[in-house]
Amino acid sequence: MPCRVLWTPFLFMERYSKILEKRKREIVLLRGRGCVYGQCPFCDYHLDKCADEDANYLLNRDVLSQVTGEFGDLEVINSGSVFELDSRTLDLLKAVCRGKNITTIHFESHYLYKEKIPALRQEFSGFDLKMKLGLETFDWAFRENVLKKGIPDRDPETVSRCFDEANFLFGISGQTLASMERDISLGLTYFERICLNIMCENSTSVRPDSEVISLFRRELYPKYTDNDRVDILMENTDFGVG
């Protein structure tokens, strides 16, 4: 039985796209049982979920049927963590990637799953697995008191230990040019790639700060827009999914 959608816009989600700049890859937005953490006050993507694993698998099968393998590189997101996808979806994902000669797979995971990542790497040992962390910022006080990310460790090396890539979130009141510059610098030091996401209006109470966004656009965007290790999403649908 199909899941009852909690929020109308999720009926019209784009779930497959191609990223044609910098590191070319395909990207899919799959659906899982829901973000087990679910406490980030700025995020409403966690509403894209379903407790019915059969319904999730059927949706995910349709999305994965669009994958061509043309870049040999696939990014997989699911409004939460890869560990919240059903086992049949993961098995199908492996089969699709093998069949399409995809060698690199990107997954996202919350920090609380870090102890499970070695086993996931073993399960996907035939692929170059890239794990992405929704870190948002290295500023521990801002990350935990404002963004409430649930990442207790403060040391950048410790935080990055199980992950290859990271998402950062800019454009919120309290952030400064110095804090954003520090995040980017540390991100490029401790991760292979980083993605800079600019806060957009959504259904949460957290609102974008236009002055912080203008500061980023003026001072940092020109500096990093051509960096092959830095993706910049001025809109949260810039990758073509969402």
Side-chain angles (χ1 to χ4, degrees):
M1 177 181 295
C3 279
R4 180 173 63 86
V5 177
L6 298 178
W7 191 39
T8 302
F10 289 117
L11 287 168
F12 309 105
M13 298 279 273
E14 294 291 340
R15 295 186 179 273
Y16 171 82
S17 187
K18 299 176 184 180
I19 300 170
L20 301 177
E21 297 181 355
K22 298 182 180 178
R23 181 167 187 161
K24 293 183 180 181
R25 58 200 185 275
E26 294 174 273
I27 183 169
V28 290
L29 171 57
L30 304 182
R31 190 177 68 192
R33 64 181 179 269
C35 177
V36 71
Y37 182 68
Q39 298 179 47
C40 303
F42 56 86
C43 175
D44 60 8
Y45 266 5
H46 67 87
L47 297 174
D48 180 36
K49 63 184 178 181
C50 180
D52 186 336
E53 289 194 354
D54 291 334
N56 288 337
Y57 173 73
L58 291 175
L59 182 148
N60 295 336
R61 184 180 66 181
D62 181 63
V63 175
L64 290 171
S65 72
Q66 301 175 70
V67 172
T68 68
E70 60 190 282
F71 307 121
D73 196 326
L74 177 66
E75 182 158 351
V76 179
I77 60 177
N78 61 288
S79 304
S81 300
V82 60
F83 299 100
E84 292 142 10
L85 294 173
D86 65 275
S87 60
R88 283 190 295 167
T89 290
L90 290 176
D91 288 341
L92 177 60
L93 178 61
K94 281 182 279 188
V96 168
C97 289
R98 290 191 187 104
K100 301 292 184 179
N101 295 317
I102 292 170
T103 57
T104 301
I105 304 175
H106 308 253
F107 284 139
E108 291 190 353
S109 173
H110 191 279
Y111 195 72
L112 61 83
Y113 285 115
K114 64 184 185 299
E115 302 301 332
K116 291 188 174 185
I117 290 177
L120 184 70
R121 291 191 188 277
Q122 182 63 34
E123 182 181 353
F124 283 79
S125 59
F127 302 94
D128 184 12
L129 200 64
K130 304 296 185 183
M131 295 300 301
K132 181 182 284 188
L133 170 66
L135 179 61
E136 319 310 350
T137 179
F138 279 105
D139 183 332
W140 185 90
F142 192 83
R143 186 178 74 224
E144 301 309 314
N145 296 329
V146 178
L147 303 182
K148 303 186 185 303
K149 284 296 300 184
I151 303 176
D153 292 319
R154 299 172 184 250
D155 176 60
E157 185 174 2
T158 301
V159 169
S160 65
R161 189 167 295 157
C162 295
F163 297 88
D164 309 288
E165 305 173 345
N167 283 317
F168 290 85
L169 181 64
F170 295 155
I172 298 176
S173 297
Q175 294 180 312
T176 65
L177 177 60
S179 72
M180 292 186 287
E181 182 74 87
R182 177 177 181 271
D183 279 338
I184 296 172
S185 177
L186 287 174
L188 290 172
T189 298
Y190 289 100
F191 297 102
E192 295 176 15
R193 295 185 61 81
I194 60 176
C195 183
L196 312 181
N197 299 271
I198 303 305
M199 182 67 196
C200 298
E201 291 280 353
N202 60 24
S203 65
T204 71
S205 61
V206 178
R207 292 289 174 259
D209 186 314
S210 59
E211 292 186 5
V212 176
I213 294 173
S214 294
L215 187 63
F216 173 85
R217 190 187 299 273
R218 183 176 67 251
E219 301 293 338
L220 298 177
Y221 183 89
K223 185 174 179 179
Y224 292 101
T225 187
D226 293 326
N227 189 314
D228 285 341
R229 295 173 58 206
V230 181
D231 291 314
I232 301 176
L233 302 186
M234 297 304 297
E235 299 289 336
N236 55 17
T237 54
D238 281 348
F239 275 162
V241 295

